[in-house]
């Protein structure tokens, strides 16, 4: 990651960031949720989240919604990541690490091909 | 938890669950007194005295899905094994302040870890919550005559919002999150500069 940290660097991001907001409101977008309860955090959810954000940032994908949730009771499989593409089933991945998270973004979020071998649950879209 | 910054993230999640609008995180490293103090304070719904005491019991939790709540007990254990302790001050309707302290040089003290990652991730994922971070390092002056020197790094997610307009959702932008992380990383790194001179 390059060193963008000064206030000038932040200002330079301004237009892009505001444009991203507009796109966000108008389009149907992919949705990623990371489990961030005590169990998820202890298992490495923050590193997974950082990897996901980093992949999205590299690809300038500001239209993807990234969110977090608490413990859903499947602590043994943490870190858990849910990926839902518009009109597609919700896929839950278990035991995700940084490397898996990067591949999930590349293969599932970008190319629309779920990584079924790591999926622990698939819920059909309503 | 392998890093203290992960405990901090966990406590910030508690604050969020308590409906906080602002979360203040403070890390104070006092090299002169060999003391590390970490504080997470919020303006959420708070707890009664009884609830606050009970929160340190691993078999007490506010959630309904399961009967255990390990976040605070784990942090308490981390502090106690380093000759430290943890207190919870809370008032219903006003907010909660959790403070833990450690002997900084204790062999069992976990590293502070990636505080920048904790702060930037939380700020970005919770744009409606204002995140204020302060990190202070106090050390002895190299010259014995001079008084101790203190450096501080401060970060406020709403300052970032102000630079980027009005809408706090800009904090969700991955590039903005990355900026916040790099900014915090550099700020924290500068706190230690010149050590050993």
């Amino acid at each position: 990651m390059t060193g963008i940290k000064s206030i000038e660097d932040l200002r330079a991001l301004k237009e892009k960031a505001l444009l991203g907001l507009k796109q966000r409101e108008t389009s149907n977008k992919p949705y990623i949720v990371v489990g961030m309860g005590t169990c998820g955090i202890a298992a490495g959810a923050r590193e997974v989240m950082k990897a996901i954000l980093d992949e999205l940032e590299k690809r300038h994908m500001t239209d993807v919604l990234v969110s977090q949730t608490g413990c859903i009771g499947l602590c043994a499989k943490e870190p858990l990541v849910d990926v839902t593409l518009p009109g597609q089933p919700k896929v839950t991945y278990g035991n995700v690490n940084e490397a898996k998270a990067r591949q999930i973004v590349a293969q599932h979020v970008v190319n629309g091909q779920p990584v079924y071998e790591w999926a622990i649950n698939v819920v059909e879209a309503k | 938890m392998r890093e203290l910054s992960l405990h901090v993230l966990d406590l910030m999640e508690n604050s969020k669950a308590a409906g906080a609008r602002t979360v203040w995180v403070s890390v104070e490293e006092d090299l002169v007194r060999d003391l590390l103090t970490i504080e997470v304070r919020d303006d959420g719904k708070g707890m009664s005295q009884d609830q606050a005491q009970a929160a340190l019991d691993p078999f007490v939790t506010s959630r309904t899905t399961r009967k255990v709540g390990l976040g605070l007990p784990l942090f308490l254990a981390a502090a106690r094994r380093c000759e430290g302790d943890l207190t919870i001050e809370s008032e219903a309707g006003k907010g909660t302040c959790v403070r833990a302290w450690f002997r900084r040089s204790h062999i069992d003290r976990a590293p502070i870890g990636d505080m920048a990652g904790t702060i930037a991730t939380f700020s970005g994922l919770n744009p409606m919550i204002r995140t204020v971070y302060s990190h202070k390092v106090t050390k002895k002056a190299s010259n014995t005559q001079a008084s101790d020197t203190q450096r501080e790094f401060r970060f406020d997610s709403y300052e970032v919002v102000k630079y980027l307009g009005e809408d706090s959702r800009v904090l969700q932008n991955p590039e903005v999150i990355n900026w916040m992380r790099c900014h915090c990383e550099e700020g924290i790194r500068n706190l230690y500069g010149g050590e050993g001179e």
Side-chain angles (χ1 to χ4, degrees), chain B:
Chain B
M1 304 257 180
R2 275 177 234 154
E3 300 174 5
L4 298 178
S5 62
L6 292 174
H7 285 288
V8 171
L9 181 58
D10 195 25
L11 293 185
M12 294 172 86
E13 296 294 330
N14 286 352
S15 295
K16 178 189 175 188
R21 293 172 60 209
T22 309
V23 181
W24 293 268
V25 177
S26 144
V27 174
E28 280 189 55
E29 296 181 69
D30 188 335
L31 280 69
V32 181
R33 292 191 296 154
D34 195 18
L35 188 68
L36 168 65
T37 311
I38 295 177
E39 191 181 283
V40 178
R41 186 161 57 88
D42 68 58
D43 57 0
K45 68 182 175 195
M47 295 178 279
S48 68
Q49 282 298 316
D50 290 351
Q51 280 176 306
Q53 269 318 301
L56 294 174
D57 180 340
F59 298 102
V60 168
T61 177
S62 61
R63 72 173 152 199
T64 49
T65 47
R66 222 161 335 89
K67 289 182 185 161
V68 292
L70 297 179
L72 279 162
L74 282 173
F75 199 28
L76 172 68
R80 288 204 173 149
R81 67 173 168 253
C82 303
E83 296 171 37
D85 209 344
L86 179 148
T87 57
I88 305 178
E89 282 166 45
S90 190
E91 199 176 328
K94 292 223 166 144
T96 302
C97 177
V98 176
R99 181 185 293 124
W101 59 97
F102 306 75
R103 182 146 78 81
R104 191 178 175 279
S105 65
H106 199 286
I107 189 83
D108 289 328
R109 182 180 67 79
I112 294 174
D114 185 4
M115 234 22 221
T118 285
I119 297 297
T121 309
F122 188 86
S123 303
L125 293 178
N126 303 286
M128 307 319 272
I129 300 176
R130 178 178 184 175
T131 307
V132 182
Y133 178 61
S134 156
H135 192 143
K136 288 180 191 157
V137 176
T138 308
K139 53 187 173 188
K140 258 201 179 74
S142 44
N143 176 348
T144 45
Q145 300 298 310
S147 53
D148 301 336
T149 57
Q150 188 179 67
R151 288 190 195 175
E152 182 182 12
F153 168 70
R154 285 185 66 85
F155 170 82
D156 181 340
S157 65
Y158 272 34
E159 296 283 324
V160 179
V161 175
K162 259 196 263 167
Y163 273 111
L164 297 178
E166 295 291 308
D167 195 334
S168 68
R169 287 176 307 161
V170 288
L171 295 179
Q172 290 174 313
N173 183 305
E175 291 179 64
V176 175
I177 297 177
N178 185 37
W179 180 87
M180 293 193 287
R181 203 163 53 83
C182 294
H183 176 74
C184 291
E185 263 171 17
E186 189 181 74
I188 294 168
R189 202 166 40 234
N190 284 343
L191 292 171
Y192 304 101
E195 205 162 15
E197 272 172 25

Side-chain angles (χ1 to χ4, degrees), chain A:
Chain A
M1 237 149 312
T2 46
I4 50 156
K5 47 217 174 283
S6 72
I7 295 297
E8 286 67 42
D9 293 326
L10 181 58
R11 281 226 180 80
L13 280 178
K14 184 171 176 174
E15 251 170 65
K16 263 196 282 179
L18 292 178
L19 188 70
L21 270 185
K22 276 197 198 114
Q23 287 169 346
R24 188 174 280 246
E25 279 157 11
T26 50
S27 65
N28 209 354
K29 50 250 158 194
Y31 192 40
I32 304 177
V33 181
V34 179
M36 295 268 240
T38 302
C39 47
I41 292 171
R46 191 191 61 193
E47 306 315 309
V48 165
M49 180 59 91
K50 271 163 56 186
I52 291 171
L53 291 169
D54 183 43
E55 287 297 315
L56 295 176
E57 197 242 326
K58 271 196 243 168
R59 295 177 162 81
H60 304 291
M61 297 177 71
T62 51
D63 59 335
V64 178
L65 276 180
V66 183
S67 179
Q68 57 178 108
T69 186
C71 172
I72 58 162
L74 204 60
C75 311
K77 297 272 188 193
E78 292 279 2
L80 291 167
V81 176
D82 284 349
V83 176
T84 316
L85 300 186
Q88 302 273 314
K90 177 176 95 175
V91 180
T92 302
Y93 296 101
N95 297 120
V96 180
N97 56 27
E98 223 184 295
K100 283 183 180 178
R102 288 183 192 278
Q103 189 170 338
I104 289 167
V105 172
Q107 196 175 321
H108 190 171
V109 182
V110 177
N111 291 329
Q113 304 290 326
V115 192
Y116 284 116
E117 51 177 315
W118 299 334
I120 55 171
N121 195 26
V122 178
V123 179
E124 289 303 321
K126 281 168 225 127

